[in-house]
Amino acid sequence: MPFPLFALMLCVFGVGTSEYVIAGILPGLSGDLGVDIPTAGLLVTAYALGVVIGGPIVTIATARIERKTLMLLLMGVFIAGNVLAAVAPEYWVVVVARVVAALVHSTFVAVGIMLAVSMVPEGQSGSAVAKVSLGLNLATVLGVPLGTFIGESHGWRATFWAVAGITTLATLLVAAVVRPAPATGGGAASELKVLGNRRVQIAIAMTVLGSAGFGTVFTYIAPLLTDVTHFSTGAVTVLLIVFGVGSVVGTVLGGKLADRSLMPALCALLAALTGILLLFGATASAQIVTAVLVFVFGAAAFSIIPGLQTRILSAAAGAPTLALAVNISAFQLANAGGSWLGGRVVDTAGVRWTTVAGAAVTVLGLVLGLLELRRDRRERKAEATEAAGSTGGPRTATVG
């Protein structure tokens, strides 16, 4: 991996660790600050809302700022939020700190993707997106367990200090090795206009449906593995690491496939994810098969992300940063919606049926993808026919 892309990936690793690690330090935080676990859990909700609300607003407000400078400013705000959480004397200060960090999350990731794409040759956007997105995978596999260990060993405040430290190091690397890139947007009107683009809207809808299908199952994967497959709690921990490894493989593979053939690859991967979810539910009683499918599920679920982000980039050429930021916010909403749907399924039909519900949602994303693929092919065919006509007919076009 080129060092500038590594620097961006390290930033994303720090941001992802900060987002996810809160679950591992909630007991210590709640006890120290004198709040119950459900109240402490609202920190997750506050962060998600901050991401969803802050993404479009911050992106529009900063559209004219040079990209590298903006990246450094956003990381500065994020670091400040984690430092504030580390020194917070009361619970409400931690809430404020989490919201401050969350407000820049979507814009930061979007700008990081834009910088990464600007560094690679044309036709390698998917791989560039995948390399930056690896930071989120590694945050799940390495960052969260390590952050939880630090919190259990030295207190929850040490976890926030560690996140602030790694993101500071990553920011310094970005300052040293990433080259500047011009702003990609104009004023608020031109930025908002891109959201009216049909291709952008459908790409975001595909993100919502694909991510909601994933969230419907993954939120309840632990009880699925213990109650249906009868794995021990210790085995579930190992299997979650296996899932994380699969997500890394899937991200890399998804980026390469997106570079080769974007929409056909996306459709194939969404179809694969749908089938895997159905197979997951059908074979959930078999431990060996389920253990393999946990890895495959992780790979399939994350393989669609580089393609979805690349589709946004190609569809929103006029203001890609805002479209990417909205798409990242859509991931948050989709995961929340998937968790809600999964909960209703668990209450009414049982945890095993979350896989069917997840597949039903994902297949809707596949239908949208197939419709877009068909429309793309019709448009290319019409353009080719028009070009042939303007250059002297089909024979001339064939020779060319």
Side-chain angles (χ1 to χ4, degrees):
M1 181 183 297
F3 202 55
L5 291 183
F6 172 80
L8 295 172
M9 186 201 72
L10 190 60
C11 285
V12 174
F13 170 80
V15 171
T17 298
S18 178
E19 178 183 4
Y20 302 137
V21 78
I22 192 72
I25 61 175
L26 276 184
L29 185 150
S30 63
D32 187 41
L33 296 180
V35 298
D36 58 26
I37 290 293
T39 301
L42 292 176
L43 292 170
V44 177
T45 304
Y47 192 95
L49 289 174
V51 172
V52 172
I53 296 170
I57 295 173
V58 173
T59 303
I60 292 172
T62 59
R64 297 182 183 275
I65 301 176
E66 185 269 319
R67 301 293 88 178
K68 178 180 176 180
T69 301
L70 177 57
M71 182 83 165
L72 298 176
L73 290 172
L74 295 172
M75 287 304 294
V77 173
F78 185 83
I79 292 166
N82 281 278
V83 170
L84 179 60
V87 301
E90 299 180 50
Y91 169 75
W92 70 267
V93 180
V94 182
V95 175
V96 171
R98 295 291 288 171
V99 171
V100 167
L103 287 174
V104 301
H105 178 115
S106 290
T107 307
F108 154 76
V109 176
V111 172
I113 289 173
M114 292 301 302
L115 283 170
V117 170
S118 72
M119 298 177 194
V120 299
E122 187 176 353
Q124 296 183 19
S125 296
S127 294
V129 172
K131 288 172 181 175
V132 174
S133 299
L134 275 177
L136 292 177
N137 304 120
L138 295 176
T140 304
V141 178
L142 300 176
V144 173
L146 182 58
T148 302
F149 172 76
I150 292 172
E152 291 174 348
S153 302
H154 304 287
W156 62 272
R157 297 179 189 275
T159 299
F160 284 113
W161 281 118
V163 170
I166 192 68
T167 48
T168 298
L169 173 61
T171 303
L172 293 174
L173 284 177
V174 169
V177 302
V178 174
R179 65 173 181 260
T184 54
S190 63
E191 287 287 314
L192 289 170
K193 185 179 179 181
V194 74
L195 298 182
N197 184 310
R198 176 189 55 79
R199 291 179 186 271
V200 172
Q201 293 171 348
I202 292 178
I204 292 173
M206 290 173 64
T207 294
V208 170
L209 293 169
S211 300
F214 160 75
T216 300
V217 178
F218 186 73
T219 303
Y220 302 95
I221 193 171
L224 176 63
L225 294 174
T226 55
D227 298 348
V228 178
T229 318
H230 302 298
F231 280 112
S232 66
T233 303
V236 170
T237 301
V238 174
L239 287 171
L240 289 177
I241 295 174
V242 170
F243 176 91
V245 174
S247 73
V248 172
V249 174
T251 298
V252 175
L253 177 63
K256 292 183 180 298
L257 291 175
D259 287 340
R260 290 185 179 181
S261 184
L262 179 55
M263 285 307 297
L266 259 179
C267 291
L269 292 172
L270 284 166
L273 178 57
T274 302
I276 289 163
L277 288 175
L278 292 173
L279 186 60
F280 200 0
T283 62
S285 300
Q287 288 191 341
I288 294 177
V289 176
T290 298
V292 174
L293 285 177
V294 166
F295 173 87
V296 179
F297 175 37
F302 281 82
S303 66
I304 65 175
I305 294 177
L308 289 169
Q309 302 285 42
T310 304
R311 179 67 173 180
I312 288 285
L313 282 171
S314 63
T321 309
L322 177 60
L324 282 171
V326 171
N327 202 43
I328 292 161
S329 296
F331 278 111
Q332 297 283 342
L333 287 175
N335 285 331
S339 298
W340 176 86
L341 174 61
R344 304 293 74 74
V345 172
V346 171
D347 288 340
T348 57
V351 68
R352 188 171 195 159
W353 287 92
T354 58
T355 58
V356 177
V361 174
T362 303
V363 80
L364 296 177
L366 171 60
V367 170
L368 283 181
L370 290 172
L371 291 174
E372 279 295 273
L373 177 60
R374 182 182 178 187
R375 187 176 287 113
D376 287 352
R377 286 175 173 171
R378 282 205 310 263
E379 290 179 359
R380 284 197 296 270
K381 184 177 180 180
E383 290 171 0
T385 301
E386 183 180 349
S390 65
T391 55
R395 182 177 179 182
T396 304
T398 302
V399 173

